[in-house]
Amino acid sequence: MSQGMDMDNESQIALTRKIGANVSDVFSAWTDPALIEQWQVDEAEFEPVKGGEYRFVTYAEGDEDSDHEVTGEILEFIEDKKLVMSWVHRDDESGEELIFVLDISFRAIDEDNTEITLIERGLPHADPQTRIFSMEAWSAALEQLAEVMEEVID
């Protein structure tokens, strides 16, 4: 499985990943709450239309941690091709809202393989560590997606 990363400027991260599954199935994994909960978050609400809203919650693992919640709006929705979402998260330490745009393109390589390009833009990273953290987090999420999609096919 190929995977590429690009750090083209301070406020954008781009990753490309091949997933061994049909493009419709991969797109559904990003837009169907039951499927989203299999690979990305513990609780998902998602209105799969342009202008729709979503809410993702990942439950805290420790007593001192709080749940991680992300909300936003679907800015662009082209079935099996493109999904653009605002991504809003309140930072627990600072109380500030962190807002960026997640732009995901889906391309059928063939009947059983899809290329995803994920671009996170608009979130300035204060230092190299925060950029690396974001890249590693999205890379791990795409790896988890690939594992879930490829298990379904096997």
Side-chain angles (χ1 to χ4, degrees), residues 3-136:
Q3 181 171 315
M5 292 185 197
D6 181 26
M7 297 191 294
D8 53 7
N9 67 42
E10 208 172 272
S11 62
Q12 180 169 304
I13 293 172
L15 295 99
T16 299
R17 172 69 196 239
K18 178 183 163 194
I19 307 284
N22 179 277
V23 70
S24 293
D25 294 335
V26 176
F27 189 82
S28 292
W30 281 88
T31 58
D32 179 327
L35 297 175
I36 295 166
E37 290 171 0
Q38 290 182 29
W39 70 276
Q40 190 175 25
V41 298
D42 296 311
E43 184 181 323
E45 299 169 17
F46 194 97
E47 294 177 84
V49 294
K50 182 177 179 176
E53 296 180 347
Y54 73 91
R55 178 177 166 268
F56 297 157
V57 178
T58 302
Y59 301 138
E61 293 187 17
D63 290 337
E64 66 282 340
D65 295 333
S66 59
D67 293 348
H68 179 84
E69 181 178 83
V70 174
T71 59
E73 180 182 347
I74 309 308
L75 305 174
E76 190 172 351
F77 186 94
I78 304 170
E79 191 158 349
D80 296 346
K81 299 220 180 279
K82 191 168 190 77
L83 180 62
V84 181
M85 316 158 54
S86 64
W87 192 271
V88 182
H89 168 66
R90 181 172 299 281
D91 184 89
D92 290 334
E93 291 180 20
S94 69
E96 293 181 39
E97 281 192 342
L98 305 174
I99 303 170
F100 61 92
V101 173
L102 192 61
D103 184 328
I104 309 146
S105 298
F106 302 81
R107 183 179 69 83
I109 297 169
D110 57 36
E111 187 64 27
D112 298 321
N113 292 285
T114 301
E115 181 181 83
I116 293 180
T117 299
L118 180 148
I119 300 171
E120 173 194 288
R121 64 177 188 262
L123 183 64
H125 296 88
D127 54 55
Q129 281 90 0
T130 60
R131 285 183 62 75
I132 292 168
F133 175 81
S134 286
M135 292 176 66
E136 288 176 346

